[in-house]
Amino acid sequence: MGFKSFKGNSLFSTLAIAALLSANATAHAAPKTPAKTATLHWHVNVGGNFATGPITSYLRSGWSAGGGFTWQPRSERWFAVRTDFAYDHFDISNALVAATKGGNFGPDTGSGGLTEANVDAEFKVPFGKSATGYLLAGVGVAHLSISLVQPGGIQTYKCTQSPFGVCSSTTPAAPLLIGSSSTTAFSWNVGAGVDFRIDGGAVMFIEARYVRFNAFVPVSVIPVQIGLRF
């Protein structure tokens, strides 16, 4: 009985050592999967903007352009941090022209400009292999400026030296700035969009945002953008 017990224990020990050696060899032979690192993507975008609320008494909808970058902690995670810089251009409203026009020298036109810098949290929602939806929410700084302009300046008269004394009116080519105003304030925004993967690793996106801040009146703007992400 003692000899058989010793023989069984030896066989068990041999098998155990062989299993450990095999597992160790397999672990060293198997290639290690590299850890996924954070990624940084750049983007550019253009589109239109739509003024809403009280600001429509002063500005009309116009165009928008911008760019920025997105930092993603992991290449396939659902969360990212996005930074945007944008410029929105507006024409002043007819109501503002009428309200500020006095006599013959009031403004005939003008423009507004909104410069923004935003930092947003981006939450991704997969739609399939080639499309991904996302939601945006964040804060930023907005600078709004409005200028009132008389395009033709002041009308003058020029008379020719002739027996008939013919006179003609002339208008300086340079526009005349009647007045301007600007303000800077903290802003917040929310938005949504869709990414579409295209050839070469680039991504096309379409998105819309709601931007809100307080100037001399509450300002609400909805930029609608189309862009490329690299």
Side-chain angles (χ1 to χ4, degrees):
M1 292 291 292
F3 175 75
K4 291 181 178 180
S5 176
F6 174 77
K7 185 177 181 180
N9 289 338
S10 298
L11 179 60
F12 176 79
S13 299
T14 302
L15 292 174
I17 293 172
L20 289 173
L21 291 174
S22 176
N24 187 52
T26 303
H28 284 284
K32 293 183 178 180
T33 302
K36 294 177 180 178
T37 58
T39 56
L40 188 67
H41 300 284
W42 299 88
H43 65 268
V44 293
N45 49 265
V46 295
N49 58 59
F50 301 91
T52 65
I55 195 63
T56 55
S57 298
Y58 303 88
L59 300 175
R60 293 183 290 172
S61 301
W63 56 266
S64 178
F69 55 90
T70 301
W71 179 77
Q72 196 165 338
R74 293 289 185 266
S75 60
E76 296 180 5
R77 289 290 296 273
W78 55 271
F79 172 77
V81 178
R82 177 169 161 177
T83 301
D84 282 274
F85 304 96
Y87 177 77
D88 301 309
H89 179 85
F90 308 87
D91 290 327
I92 64 172
S93 68
N94 295 330
L96 180 58
V97 172
T100 56
K101 195 172 182 65
N104 296 325
F105 305 110
D108 286 334
T109 186
S111 63
L114 175 61
T115 305
E116 302 174 65
N118 299 307
V119 177
D120 292 83
E122 183 177 287
F123 304 92
K124 299 180 181 296
V125 183
F127 287 165
K129 293 183 179 181
S130 59
T132 302
Y134 58 89
L135 301 174
L136 295 168
V139 296
V141 177
H143 177 79
L144 176 66
S145 61
I146 299 177
S147 299
L148 305 176
V149 177
Q150 176 73 28
I154 300 175
Q155 191 175 50
T156 59
Y157 291 90
K158 178 180 179 181
C159 297
T160 60
Q161 297 294 328
S162 68
F164 304 101
V166 177
C167 295
S168 61
S169 63
T170 61
T171 303
L176 180 65
L177 179 66
I178 301 297
S180 64
S181 178
S182 64
T183 184
T184 302
F186 289 104
S187 64
W188 60 267
N189 74 92
V190 294
V194 182
D195 283 339
F196 301 95
R197 294 191 178 277
I198 57 179
D199 292 339
V203 173
M204 183 181 73
F205 64 89
I206 300 174
E207 70 178 33
R209 296 194 191 208
Y210 176 83
V211 181
R212 179 68 179 260
F213 64 96
N214 288 323
F216 45 89
V217 296
V219 179
S220 302
V221 180
I222 303 176
V224 179
Q225 308 277 349
I226 182 170
L228 287 175
R229 199 186 318 275
F230 307 94

